[in-house]
Amino acid sequence: MDKSALKKAYKESKKPTGVYLIKDNYNHKLYIGASVEPEARINRHKAELRFGSHRNAELQNAWKKGGESALEFEIIDRLELKEDSDVNVEEELRLHTEMWIRKLKEGANQIELIK
């Protein structure tokens, strides 16, 4: 493939946007987030936690108490949107995040969110 064909294929490829959660294994609270690159965002959370610079005090305290095993990281929803789509990605992520929060709060084991 030549460069222009690769570039075109990349632009037409699906982007790995999604909703993720971080679960505190001690108090079972959940942090719900969304990103256009959820794997990269999870890695950023872990790096900030390792360096003690995470902006969320509850997550940072859990990390201080139990290290990486104190928290579970999981991508719970993937939105495979094409680059040239007219869809507002931020709005789609917001809606999917709200849907997951409702779904998790309405479940049998009503959860508490980390804010």
Side-chain angles (χ1 to χ4, degrees):
M1 265 190 178
D2 66 2
K3 259 187 179 178
S4 63
L6 286 171
K7 195 173 186 180
K8 182 180 179 191
Y10 173 78
K11 285 184 175 184
E12 291 175 353
S13 69
K14 296 176 181 177
K15 302 301 175 203
T17 60
V19 179
Y20 63 91
L21 67 79
I22 303 172
K23 178 182 176 189
D24 182 329
N25 288 321
Y26 295 108
N27 64 20
H28 306 289
K29 288 183 176 183
L30 299 176
Y31 176 96
I32 308 291
S35 175
V36 293
E37 294 182 23
E39 289 90 355
R41 184 64 187 110
I42 286 171
N43 288 336
R44 182 173 168 198
H45 278 290
K46 288 179 180 179
E48 290 174 357
L49 290 162
R50 277 188 207 103
F51 290 114
S53 62
H54 201 281
R55 70 193 94 174
N56 186 290
E58 282 189 73
L59 290 176
Q60 192 65 65
N61 288 334
W63 187 276
K64 283 180 188 174
K65 289 179 187 174
E68 191 165 352
S69 64
L71 302 171
E72 285 180 42
F73 300 82
E74 179 183 358
I75 297 171
I76 56 175
D77 195 3
R78 289 197 182 272
L79 291 74
E80 296 187 359
L81 306 171
K82 291 192 177 194
E83 181 74 22
D84 60 351
S85 172
D86 289 338
V87 174
N88 181 327
V89 176
E90 289 80 18
E91 181 64 11
E92 283 297 311
L93 287 172
R94 187 187 66 74
L95 291 171
H96 278 260
T97 302
E98 288 177 6
M99 178 203 63
W100 274 101
I101 290 170
R102 266 194 322 278
K103 188 175 185 177
L104 292 166
K105 281 186 172 183
E106 293 170 357
N109 301 325
Q110 292 186 354
I111 57 104
E112 189 174 347
L113 294 176
I114 296 172
K115 296 182 182 191

